[in-house]
Amino acid sequence: MPLTQLSAPLSREQAMALVDAVMEREGLALAASAHEMLGGEWLFEAICDRSPDLAAIAALALEVLGGAVAFRAAPIPETDWVRKSLEGLQPVAAGLLYVHGSHNREAPPPGHIPILIDAGQAFGTGHHASTFTCLEALDLTLRTADPRRVLDLGCGSGILAIAAAKVLRCPALATDIDPVAVAVTLENARANGVGALVSARVADGLTHRKIAESGPYDLIMANILAEPLRKMALALSRHAARGATVILGGFLENQASRLVAAYAEHGFVQKKKAARDGWATLTLQRMNRV
C-alpha cells in the first residue's frame, strides 16, 4: 500500500513537541520523527498509510505550537519507508560509546567503542533521550570505575548490558519482563561479540533466582519508569554492593527528586543528574549497607 509522508521544517523544540503530540493522537500517523538537517534546521516527518487528514494535523500543530505550519505531503512506496527509516537512524555517540545499525558502514571515530543495535521489537537504540542519557551516564561511570558484577534491569534491546560488557570484558546479567526483549538481547550480544559475557533472563523486577545468585552488583542499571523504580528501591538496595553505582533512567525530569528521596532512605546518594528533552537519568552511589 502506498504511504504518504508529511514534512515541515521547524525548530528542534517544535519538531520534538509535534512528534509527541502526533503519536499521542491515535489514527493520525503510523510514525512520526524529527531529525536535524544540514545548517542546524530540524525537520518534522510523519508517515501515514492513507491520505493524511491534513486539517486535523494542521489543527493539532496550531494547538501545540501556537502557529500555523505548512506541511509538504508526498506519496512514497512502502519499500522506500523501510529504507528511509533505517537511514534516519544515524549513529549515536554517547561519550565514547558509539551505537550504530547494521545499515551504517562508516567506521566509528577513533577511540570509540562500536555497539551494533538494529531497530526492532525491543526498546533501546540510543536515539531516545532516556537511553541516550543512560549511555552517557554509563560512559562517565566506566571512566573512573571498574565494576566486576553488572545487572541491567528492564534491558529492552540489551544495549546497556552489552555496552558494559564490551568495555569491561566482564559478565553482565540482563533481565526483562518481556521474553521478546530477552531473545533480542541475546541476539544483540552475539552480534557484538559478547555472547559469552551477557546472559539474559525473563524476570519481573528483582525476583529471579539468577539475580540473587550473581550478586551483589557493583553496577546496576535500570531504564524503566519512575513508579516501578521507586517501588523497587528497597529490593534493589539488597542486591547492591557497598560503593555500587546505580544508573536509573526512563522517567521525566520533574520525577527525579522523588526517586532521589526514595533511594536515599536505603543508603544511596546522588552523584549526577542528566536531562535531555524532558527525560532524566540519575547516577547514584551506595554508601552503606542498611
Side-chain angles (χ1 to χ4, degrees):
M1 178 186 296
L3 302 175
T4 300
Q5 180 188 66
L6 298 181
S7 61
L10 298 168
S11 70
R12 180 179 182 275
E13 292 73 19
Q14 289 175 327
M16 293 292 189
L18 192 54
V19 167
D20 290 341
V22 168
M23 294 312 296
E24 287 174 2
R25 193 72 60 89
E26 186 175 352
L28 277 187
L30 290 173
S33 63
H35 59 89
E36 188 175 11
M37 300 183 295
L38 292 176
E41 192 174 51
W42 281 67
L43 188 70
F44 165 85
E45 292 181 333
I47 305 300
C48 306
D49 62 353
R50 49 184 165 73
S51 297
D53 189 342
L54 283 172
I57 294 177
L60 180 61
L62 181 62
E63 174 188 338
V64 172
L65 305 180
V69 174
F71 292 98
R72 178 180 180 272
I76 56 173
E78 192 169 4
T79 51
D80 280 357
W81 167 238
V82 173
R83 176 183 57 79
K84 186 171 181 61
S85 67
L86 289 175
E87 290 176 351
L89 291 178
Q90 297 300 313
V92 172
L96 295 179
L97 302 176
Y98 182 83
V99 185
H100 66 97
S102 57
H103 61 283
N104 182 270
R105 304 300 181 185
E106 297 179 7
H112 284 63
I113 298 163
I115 302 166
L116 171 61
I117 302 288
D118 279 322
Q121 294 176 283
F123 177 79
T125 62
H127 293 83
H128 190 276
S130 65
T131 311
F132 181 84
T133 50
C134 282
L135 284 168
E136 280 193 323
L138 175 60
D139 174 72
L140 288 173
T141 295
L142 298 185
R143 294 183 189 214
T144 58
D146 186 29
R148 295 288 90 196
R149 291 162 293 183
V150 176
L151 175 62
D152 180 7
L153 295 168
C155 59
S157 68
I159 185 170
L160 297 177
I162 290 167
K166 289 199 80 168
V167 174
L168 299 168
R169 306 308 303 177
C170 77
L173 173 61
T175 69
D176 202 289
I177 197 171
D178 182 5
V180 173
V182 169
V184 169
T185 291
L186 292 173
E187 181 180 346
N188 285 337
R190 288 190 291 269
N192 280 276
V194 290
L197 294 175
V198 176
S199 57
R201 299 289 189 276
V202 177
D204 185 359
L206 290 135
T207 58
H208 198 285
R209 183 180 65 184
K210 179 69 173 177
I211 296 176
E213 291 175 348
S214 302
Y217 299 92
D218 309 304
L219 173 61
I220 300 176
M221 302 170 287
N223 184 22
I224 312 177
L225 291 169
E227 191 58 17
L229 287 173
R230 187 188 66 79
K231 289 181 177 179
M232 69 169 59
L234 173 59
L236 189 147
S237 72
R238 292 171 174 164
H239 295 280
R242 183 180 180 86
T245 297
V246 172
I247 297 172
L248 304 179
F251 50 89
L252 299 177
E253 190 173 0
N254 61 12
Q255 297 172 314
S257 59
R258 290 189 64 203
L259 288 173
V260 171
Y263 280 78
E265 294 181 7
H266 304 290
F268 292 93
V269 296
Q270 178 183 334
K271 304 299 288 186
K272 185 175 178 59
K273 184 180 85 169
R276 184 183 177 94
D277 299 334
W279 296 85
T281 290
L282 290 170
T283 301
L284 311 174
Q285 186 172 18
R286 180 65 182 275
M287 302 306 293
N288 54 60
R289 303 283 293 180
V290 179

Coordinates of all heavy atoms in Angstrom, one line a residue, residues 123-157:
F123 N 13.0 -2.1 22.9 CA 13.3 -0.7 23.0 C 14.8 -0.6 23.3 O 15.4 -1.3 24.1 CB 12.5 -0.1 24.2 CG 12.8 1.3 24.5 CD1 12.4 2.4 23.7 CD2 13.7 1.7 25.5 CE1 12.7 3.7 23.9 CE2 14.0 3.0 25.8 CZ 13.5 4.0 25.0
G124 N 15.4 0.5 22.7 CA 16.8 0.8 23.0 C 17.7 0.8 21.9 O 18.4 -0.2 21.6
T125 N 17.8 1.9 21.1 CA 18.8 2.1 20.0 C 19.7 3.2 20.4 O 20.6 3.5 19.6 CB 18.1 2.4 18.7 OG1 17.4 3.6 18.8 CG2 17.2 1.2 18.3
G126 N 19.4 3.9 21.5 CA 20.3 5.1 21.8 C 19.7 6.4 21.3 O 20.2 7.5 21.7
H127 N 18.6 6.4 20.5 CA 18.1 7.6 20.0 C 17.1 8.3 20.9 O 17.0 9.5 20.9 CB 17.4 7.3 18.6 CG 18.4 6.9 17.6 ND1 18.8 5.6 17.4 CD2 19.0 7.6 16.6 CE1 19.7 5.5 16.4 NE2 19.8 6.7 15.9
H128 N 16.4 7.5 21.7 CA 15.5 8.1 22.7 C 16.3 8.8 23.8 O 17.4 8.3 24.2 CB 14.6 7.1 23.3 CG 13.4 7.7 24.1 ND1 13.6 8.0 25.4 CD2 12.2 8.0 23.8 CE1 12.5 8.5 25.9 NE2 11.6 8.5 24.9
A129 N 15.8 9.9 24.3 CA 16.6 10.7 25.3 C 16.9 9.8 26.6 O 18.0 10.0 27.1 CB 15.8 11.9 25.7
S130 N 16.0 9.0 27.0 CA 16.2 8.2 28.2 C 17.4 7.2 28.0 O 18.3 7.1 28.9 CB 15.0 7.5 28.7 OG 14.6 6.5 27.7
T131 N 17.4 6.5 26.9 CA 18.5 5.6 26.6 C 19.8 6.4 26.4 O 20.9 5.9 26.9 CB 18.2 4.8 25.3 OG1 16.9 4.2 25.4 CG2 19.2 3.6 25.2
F132 N 19.8 7.5 25.7 CA 21.0 8.3 25.4 C 21.6 8.7 26.7 O 22.8 8.6 26.9 CB 20.7 9.5 24.5 CG 21.9 10.3 24.2 CD1 22.7 10.0 23.2 CD2 22.2 11.4 25.0 CE1 23.8 10.7 22.8 CE2 23.3 12.2 24.7 CZ 24.1 11.9 23.6
T133 N 20.8 9.3 27.6 CA 21.4 9.8 28.9 C 21.9 8.6 29.8 O 22.8 8.8 30.5 CB 20.4 10.6 29.7 OG1 19.1 10.0 29.8 CG2 20.2 12.0 29.0
C134 N 21.3 7.5 29.7 CA 21.8 6.3 30.4 C 23.1 5.9 29.8 O 24.1 5.5 30.6 CB 20.8 5.1 30.3 SG 19.4 5.2 31.4
L135 N 23.3 5.9 28.5 CA 24.6 5.6 27.9 C 25.6 6.6 28.3 O 26.8 6.2 28.6 CB 24.4 5.6 26.4 CG 23.7 4.4 25.8 CD1 23.4 4.6 24.3 CD2 24.6 3.1 25.9
E136 N 25.3 7.9 28.3 CA 26.2 8.9 28.8 C 26.6 8.6 30.2 O 27.8 8.7 30.6 CB 25.6 10.3 28.7 CG 25.6 10.9 27.3 CD 25.3 12.3 27.3 OE1 24.4 12.7 28.1 OE2 25.9 13.1 26.5
A137 N 25.7 8.3 31.1 CA 26.0 8.0 32.5 C 26.9 6.8 32.6 O 27.8 6.8 33.4 CB 24.7 7.9 33.3
L138 N 26.6 5.8 31.8 CA 27.4 4.6 31.8 C 28.9 4.9 31.4 O 29.8 4.5 32.0 CB 26.8 3.5 30.9 CG 27.6 2.2 30.8 CD1 27.9 1.6 32.1 CD2 26.9 1.3 29.8
D139 N 29.0 5.7 30.3 CA 30.3 6.1 29.8 C 31.1 6.8 30.9 O 32.3 6.5 31.1 CB 30.1 7.0 28.6 CG 31.5 7.5 28.1 OD1 32.3 6.7 27.5 OD2 31.7 8.7 28.3
L140 N 30.5 7.8 31.5 CA 31.2 8.5 32.6 C 31.6 7.6 33.7 O 32.6 7.8 34.3 CB 30.3 9.7 33.1 CG 30.1 10.9 32.1 CD1 29.1 11.8 32.6 CD2 31.4 11.6 31.9
T141 N 30.7 6.7 34.1 CA 31.0 5.8 35.2 C 32.2 4.9 34.9 O 33.1 4.8 35.8 CB 29.7 4.9 35.5 OG1 28.6 5.7 35.9 CG2 30.0 3.9 36.6
L142 N 32.2 4.4 33.7 CA 33.3 3.5 33.4 C 34.6 4.1 33.2 O 35.7 3.4 33.1 CB 32.9 2.7 32.1 CG 31.6 1.8 32.3 CD1 31.4 1.0 31.0 CD2 31.7 0.9 33.5
R143 N 34.7 5.4 33.1 CA 35.9 6.1 33.0 C 36.7 6.2 34.4 O 37.9 6.3 34.4 CB 35.7 7.6 32.6 CG 35.2 7.6 31.1 CD 35.1 9.0 30.6 NE 34.4 9.1 29.4 CZ 34.7 10.0 28.4 NH1 35.6 10.9 28.6 NH2 34.0 10.0 27.3
T144 N 35.9 6.0 35.5 CA 36.6 6.1 36.8 C 36.3 4.8 37.7 O 36.9 4.7 38.7 CB 36.0 7.3 37.6 OG1 34.6 7.2 37.7 CG2 36.4 8.6 36.8
A145 N 35.5 3.9 37.2 CA 35.2 2.7 38.0 C 35.4 1.5 37.2 O 35.4 1.5 35.9 CB 33.7 2.8 38.4
D146 N 35.6 0.4 37.8 CA 35.9 -0.9 37.2 C 35.0 -2.0 37.8 O 35.5 -2.9 38.4 CB 37.3 -1.3 37.3 CG 37.7 -2.5 36.5 OD1 37.0 -2.8 35.5 OD2 38.6 -3.2 36.9
P147 N 33.7 -1.9 37.6 CA 32.8 -2.9 38.2 C 33.0 -4.2 37.6 O 33.3 -4.4 36.4 CB 31.4 -2.3 37.9 CG 31.6 -1.4 36.8 CD 32.9 -0.8 36.9
R148 N 32.8 -5.3 38.5 CA 33.0 -6.6 38.0 C 31.7 -7.4 37.9 O 31.7 -8.5 37.3 CB 34.0 -7.4 39.0 CG 35.4 -6.8 39.0 CD 36.1 -7.1 37.7 NE 36.0 -6.1 36.6 CZ 36.3 -6.3 35.4 NH1 36.7 -7.5 35.0 NH2 36.2 -5.4 34.5
R149 N 30.7 -6.9 38.5 CA 29.4 -7.6 38.5 C 28.3 -6.6 38.1 O 28.1 -5.5 38.8 CB 29.0 -8.2 39.9 CG 29.9 -9.4 40.3 CD 29.9 -9.6 41.7 NE 30.5 -8.5 42.5 CZ 30.7 -8.5 43.8 NH1 30.3 -9.6 44.5 NH2 31.2 -7.5 44.4
V150 N 27.7 -6.8 36.9 CA 26.8 -5.9 36.3 C 25.4 -6.4 36.1 O 25.2 -7.6 35.7 CB 27.3 -5.5 34.9 CG1 26.4 -4.5 34.2 CG2 28.7 -4.8 35.1
L151 N 24.4 -5.6 36.4 CA 23.0 -6.0 36.3 C 22.2 -4.9 35.5 O 22.3 -3.7 35.8 CB 22.3 -6.2 37.7 CG 20.8 -6.5 37.7 CD1 20.5 -7.8 37.0 CD2 20.3 -6.5 39.1
D152 N 21.5 -5.4 34.5 CA 20.7 -4.4 33.7 C 19.2 -4.9 33.8 O 18.8 -5.9 33.2 CB 21.2 -4.5 32.2 CG 20.4 -3.6 31.3 OD1 19.5 -2.8 31.8 OD2 20.6 -3.7 30.0
L153 N 18.5 -4.1 34.5 CA 17.0 -4.4 34.7 C 16.2 -3.7 33.7 O 16.3 -2.5 33.4 CB 16.6 -3.9 36.1 CG 17.3 -4.6 37.3 CD1 17.0 -3.7 38.6 CD2 16.8 -6.0 37.5
G154 N 15.2 -4.5 33.1 CA 14.4 -3.9 32.0 C 15.3 -3.7 30.8 O 15.3 -2.6 30.3
C155 N 16.0 -4.7 30.4 CA 17.1 -4.5 29.4 C 16.7 -4.1 28.0 O 17.5 -3.5 27.3 CB 17.9 -5.8 29.3 SG 17.0 -7.2 28.8
G156 N 15.4 -4.3 27.6 CA 15.0 -4.0 26.3 C 15.9 -4.7 25.2 O 16.0 -5.9 25.2
S157 N 16.6 -3.9 24.4 CA 17.5 -4.4 23.4 C 18.8 -5.0 24.0 O 19.5 -5.6 23.3 CB 17.8 -3.4 22.4 OG 18.6 -2.4 23.0

